[in-house]
């Protein structure tokens, strides 16, 4: 349905770059980043496609902008606080944000024109680790390790055929019924004695893995650095 001319003019007058980018995020959330075009964005905003070009030059600028929006939603660590608590808080926040915007997983590190929220996020995270006493080299290793874990887990979580405790059995039990009897004893054991037990949630694996990483890194805290929890 076409939008009346007066309505389009009113909506265009209220537009800002931030609103355009937030609407682009909404389009990507609803139908994936491949669905995001100047035309689909204009439709979301209720304006003509040419109006969008007053705020973003092209698709690449939109992608750079929405990655910056996503980075801006992740909690920033606080330099000077306990580094381990801050890295844990940041990791959990990043996971929550990527669950809201799973399309962003493949874009977060691929853009070559980072915006201010992205740059600030990187700078503050690096600063938190440096204030804890880690060297520049070790800070780079830690940052890469943590992001590899968070993004990898988020990608795996987004790809699973179930969501939360309630749907695990719905997916796993029919799969197990197709196993030849006795053919995969270890897989069957794990499924029946752990995965299919009441209360199992794949999301709990995130905390387990994050603790392993942080425990290992705690042994590398330089003398005089912030003590782990």
């Amino acid at each position: 349905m076409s939008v009346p001319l007066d309505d389009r003019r009113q909506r265009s007058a209220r537009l800002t770059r931030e609103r355009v980018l937030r609407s682009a995020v909404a389009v990507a959330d609803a139908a994936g980043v491949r669905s995001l075009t100047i035309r689909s964005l204009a439709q979301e905003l209720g304006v003509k496609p040419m109006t969008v070009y007053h705020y973003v030059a092209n698709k690449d600028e939109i992608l750079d902008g929405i990655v910056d929006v996503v980075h801006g939603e992740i909690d920033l660590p606080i330099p000077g606080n306990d580094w381990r608590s801050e890295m844990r808080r940041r990791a959990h926040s990043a996971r929550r944000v990527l669950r809201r915007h799973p399309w962003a997983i493949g874009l977060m590190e691929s853009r070559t024109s980072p915006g201010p929220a992205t740059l600030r996020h990187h700078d503050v995270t690096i600063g938190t680790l440096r204030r804890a006493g880690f060297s520049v080299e070790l800070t780079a290793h830690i940052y890469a390790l943590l992001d590899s874990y968070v993004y990898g887990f988020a990608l795996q979580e987004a790809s699973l055929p179930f969501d939360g405790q309630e749907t695990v059995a719905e997916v796993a039990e029919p799969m197990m019924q197709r196993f030849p009897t006795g053919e995969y004893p270890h897989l069957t054991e794990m499924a029946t004695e752990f995965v299919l037990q009441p209360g199992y949630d794949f999301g709990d694996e995130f905390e387990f893995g994050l603790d392993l990483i942080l425990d290992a890194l705690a042994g590398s805290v330089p003398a005089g650095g912030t003590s782990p929890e």
Side-chain angles (χ1 to χ4, degrees), residues 70-188:
V70 172
H71 266 109
E73 293 181 7
I74 300 173
D75 292 342
L76 289 172
I78 301 174
N81 281 2
D82 178 79
W83 69 270
R84 184 171 170 175
S85 296
E86 294 302 313
M87 291 301 106
R88 176 182 282 107
R89 186 168 63 85
R90 172 185 174 270
H92 278 288
S93 176
R95 179 192 170 209
R96 287 193 300 271
V97 169
L98 292 175
R99 290 194 72 177
R100 288 199 300 268
H101 312 300
W103 51 265
I105 299 171
L107 288 177
M108 295 283 279
E109 301 298 325
S110 67
R111 307 309 299 169
T112 57
S113 299
T118 303
L119 294 172
R120 183 164 184 261
H121 181 92
H122 292 326
D123 189 68
V124 173
T125 302
I126 291 168
T128 301
L129 293 169
R130 292 287 287 130
R131 282 282 297 275
F134 293 108
S135 68
V136 171
E137 181 179 358
L138 194 51
T139 293
H141 293 327
I142 293 170
Y143 203 166
L145 173 62
L146 288 172
D147 276 5
S148 294
Y149 177 70
V150 172
Y151 294 162
F153 192 93
L155 179 61
Q156 185 178 19
E157 198 168 28
S159 303
L160 290 172
F162 53 83
D163 183 18
Q165 301 177 24
E166 297 78 10
T167 57
V168 173
E170 295 175 9
V171 174
E173 288 177 351
M175 291 173 60
M176 291 180 61
Q177 290 173 6
R178 292 195 291 269
F179 293 176
T181 302
E183 187 72 17
Y184 306 110
H186 304 300
L187 184 57
T188 300

Side-chain angles (χ1 to χ4, degrees), residues 2-139:
S2 61
V3 178
L5 179 59
D6 288 345
D7 287 350
R8 289 203 303 268
R9 286 174 175 169
Q10 290 176 7
R11 293 180 185 185
S12 177
R14 294 195 300 267
L15 283 186
T16 62
R17 178 179 170 83
E18 181 180 359
R19 185 183 165 203
V20 169
L21 293 176
R22 289 287 178 185
S23 295
V25 169
V27 172
D29 286 346
V33 74
R34 290 186 179 182
S35 71
L36 180 57
T37 63
I38 295 293
R39 185 172 297 276
S40 66
L41 178 54
Q43 185 174 3
E44 175 74 14
L45 291 164
V47 299
K48 289 290 188 180
M50 286 304 298
T51 303
V52 176
Y53 287 108
H54 290 291
Y55 303 93
V56 288
N58 48 44
K59 176 73 174 287
D60 275 342
E61 190 170 324
I62 295 173
L63 293 178
D64 289 338
I66 61 177
V67 164
D68 205 50
V69 170
V70 172
H71 266 109
E73 293 181 7
I74 300 173
D75 292 342
L76 289 172
I78 301 174
N81 281 2
D82 178 79
W83 69 270
R84 184 171 170 175
S85 296
E86 294 302 313
M87 291 301 106
R88 176 182 282 107
R89 186 168 63 85
R90 172 185 174 270
H92 278 288
S93 176
R95 179 192 170 209
R96 287 193 300 271
V97 169
L98 292 175
R99 290 194 72 177
R100 288 199 300 268
H101 312 300
W103 51 265
I105 299 171
L107 288 177
M108 295 283 279
E109 301 298 325
S110 67
R111 307 309 299 169
T112 57
S113 299
T118 303
L119 294 172
R120 183 164 184 261
H121 181 92
H122 292 326
D123 189 68
V124 173
T125 302
I126 291 168
T128 301
L129 293 169
R130 292 287 287 130
R131 282 282 297 275
F134 293 108
S135 68
V136 171
E137 181 179 358
L138 194 51
T139 293

